[in-house]
Amino acid sequence: MATTVIAEQPPGRKSLMQRFARGWEPYLYSAPALILIVTVMLVPLVVGISYAFRDVQILNPFSGGFIGLDHFRALAGDRAFLVALKNTVWWTGASVLLQFAFGLILALLLDKPFTGRGLAQALVFLPWAVPTFLTGLNWAWLFNPVIGPLPHWLHALGILSEPNNILSDPELAMWGPIIANVWWGIPFFAITLLAALQAIPRDLYEAASIDGAGPVQRFLSITLPFLAPTIAITILLRTVWISNFADLIVVMTKGGPADRTQIVASYIFTQAFTRLDFGYASAVAMVLLVLLLVYSMLIVVLRQTLLNKD
Amino acid sequence: MRARPLILTLAHRLAILAYILFALFPLFWLLKVSLTPNDLLYSEGVRMWPSRTSFDHFRFVIAHSDFPLFFRNSLIVAGSTALVVTAVASLSGYALSRFAFRAKYWIVALMLLTQMFPLVMLVAPIFRLLSPLGLTNSLTGLVIVYSAFNVPFATFLMQSFFDGIPKDLEEAAKIDGATQFMAFRQIILPLTLPGIAATVGFVFTAAWSELLFALMLISGNEAATFPVGLLSFVSKFSVDFGQMMAAGVLALIPACIFFFLIQRYLVQGLTAGAVKG
């Protein structure tokens, strides 16, 4: 009798232990990731928000005090910031639209099998692997009349009256980073859209052609509806991402000439990096964060109303 | 009747060719200038290929500049980040893929949040928090920061790879007496090797390319990564285009190798995800 009890007890205790361990197991697996995210992203985020209401200048040892809404009052009258807001809209809109249009065309071109597709795909996707700082430098060099061909070509085509560097022309400078961004970002859209295209069942197209639908009709009534959710999500996420993407501008123009290419993200970086005014930089960042939140909320509301309509 | 498809095929190939030219031209120009000897640089400025090429710029950059040091620093930072992130993200991705637990929703929400807010917001606070710890101007500091930035995306990526592996495999192993972790390590991880390779590639490329935080956190040459080194070189010696572009070509190498390794897998993986989702 006694032996059976002893023999049975360990499995019972073990199963309790096991159940306990099982409950904790997912937390153990996620712990390293969570610790990293909380200490390196969440804590600095909260600290950064507190900076927005404090006077934090690295070069000024007496700074650090609480100043309430002073930064935001200064922001409202900061012309450079207002220009940066306007530039952000222009930069994001043009970049996303061009990347999407050229990306969609590329995805459609690569959708059907042809000899050499693998190689063509590898080559056209290559820009995506180029580090962004190098993309920026590379295009800055291409636009430089001393070393690059683009000003001379644009001059020959009659687009520029003189073979000058468009990056130093206040009217045209923004096109420099935008073109670099389009070059770099087309593959992202193409990859995502190509993946979605290849998930469309082929029989649908066959059925449609048997019913006598032409290529345009097939595109409008099969391809586009199938792609629509991917298109919507990719564009929304990309809009947020590109509006925060300051690398190309920092590398190519540093926001100049005369702040004509400064976007809010690069303005934050400039305030922190060159002026070491962390308080003001954080206040600008807060405004950007709020704008992005409003944008995301609008998207969610829009999505809900569209879903309800169906 | 035959002429129309032929014209369409021709137009299709031409369009593909145009895309390839647009994609490759800037890189071709980078290579071209890096191979042009200094005396021909301006006289043959817009020619497609110089009448004489030389490796002088590369030789100079490798032997007489700090770029080998920057290259080594970047390799250490990007390599360590890729390893740390892949290890951490395979664990957390596995948790999200295989367990139903109470905090799962919040963990996913937290990770999505980190993908939405502008990282540039963190430039100032991270600098301020790391400097008393002695982690500014240090490669370790960069690895920690980059690891955290890349973990959320890598977690989702790994989760999608784990989702593609049937659960029966672990169930069978557990009936044979293995714990969940043993099943994970000995059965699931080997099956996800292609996914792990893709994650390593993604994170390596991201860490290799990162600029803004490296600019903010690193000030001396000792710990400068390639982007920081190249930018300071550009602002210091902005006349020596040949050398700058030779350095640029060097910066391109590791990223391109990784890309060619993973690019085929890229569309396949996304297709699988799209079919399931």
Side-chain angles (χ1 to χ4, degrees), chain B residues 91-136:
Chain B
L91 285 171
S92 52
Y94 188 68
L96 293 184
S97 167
R98 286 302 195 266
F99 294 91
F101 55 108
R102 206 178 294 162
K104 186 169 166 177
Y105 173 82
W106 291 105
I107 292 177
V108 172
L110 176 68
M111 288 190 175
L112 283 177
L113 174 81
T114 62
Q115 299 297 289
M116 293 298 281
F117 75 79
L119 284 180
V120 73
M121 275 189 80
L122 302 182
V123 163
I126 283 187
F127 179 84
R128 198 72 192 280
L129 292 172
L130 287 187
S131 76
L133 301 173
L135 289 172
T136 50

Side-chain angles (χ1 to χ4, degrees), chain A residues 209-226:
Chain A
S209 13
I210 291 169
D211 289 345
V216 177
Q217 231 179 333
R218 283 195 303 248
F219 177 76
L220 288 179
S221 55
I222 301 175
T223 315
L224 221 48
F226 260 98

Side-chain angles (χ1 to χ4, degrees), chain A residues 22 25-27 29-30 32-34 36-38 40-45 47-49 51 56 58 102-103 105-106 109-110 114-115 118 120-134 137-139 141-142 144 146-149 152-153 183 186 191 194-195 198-199 237 240 244 246-247 250-251 265 268-269 272-273 276 278 282 285-286 288-289 292 296, chain B residues 12-13 15-16 19-20 22-27 29-30 33 41-42 45-46 48 88 91-92 94-95 99 101-103 107 110-111 114 116-129 144-145 147-149 151-152 174 180-181 184 202 205 208-209 211-212 215-216 227 230-231 234 241 244-245 248 251-252 255-256 259-260 263-264 266-267 270-271 274-275:
Chain A
R22 181 127 185 97
E25 217 173 347
Y27 294 98
Y29 286 116
S30 350
L34 286 178
L36 263 178
I37 294 173
V38 169
V40 183
M41 298 181 82
L42 219 52
V43 170
L45 179 67
V47 171
I49 291 173
Y51 282 0
V56 188
I58 293 302
F102 286 113
I105 296 172
L106 180 58
L109 288 173
L110 287 172
F114 59 89
T115 8
Q121 191 173 302
L123 293 177
V124 289
F125 288 175
L126 190 61
W128 201 39
V130 177
T132 46
F133 69 92
L134 193 60
L137 280 177
N138 200 173
W139 280 95
W141 290 328
L142 288 173
N144 186 335
V146 176
I147 201 79
H152 304 285
W153 291 354
W183 180 79
I186 286 176
I191 291 171
L194 184 58
Q198 299 194 337
L237 291 179
V240 173
N244 296 328
D247 292 32
V250 169
V251 169
I268 295 171
F269 184 77
F273 182 67
L276 293 174
F278 287 6
S282 297
M286 280 282 288
L288 181 60
L289 187 66
L292 288 174
S296 314
Chain B
H12 174 258
R13 298 300 189 279
I16 297 266
Y19 267 102
I20 293 178
F22 179 58
L24 294 188
F25 180 73
L27 301 176
W29 200 260
L30 194 70
V33 175
L41 204 53
Y42 303 111
V46 283
M48 276 299 122
V88 168
L91 285 171
S92 52
Y94 188 68
F99 294 91
F101 55 108
R102 206 178 294 162
I107 292 177
L110 176 68
M111 288 190 175
T114 62
M116 293 298 281
F117 75 79
L119 284 180
V120 73
M121 275 189 80
L122 302 182
V123 163
I126 283 187
F127 179 84
R128 198 72 192 280
L129 292 172
I144 294 173
V145 172
S147 295
F149 288 174
V151 154
K174 273 192 277 185
Q180 179 104 24
F181 187 70
F184 166 65
F202 262 114
T205 319
W208 183 270
S209 316
L211 172 70
L212 298 186
L215 271 180
M216 191 74 205
L230 189 57
L231 274 192
V234 167
F241 286 105
M244 289 193 297
M245 296 206 190
L252 203 58
C256 282
F259 179 73
F260 270 104
Q263 70 87 19
R264 248 171 194 291
L266 221 59
V267 175
L270 286 167
T271 315
V275 172

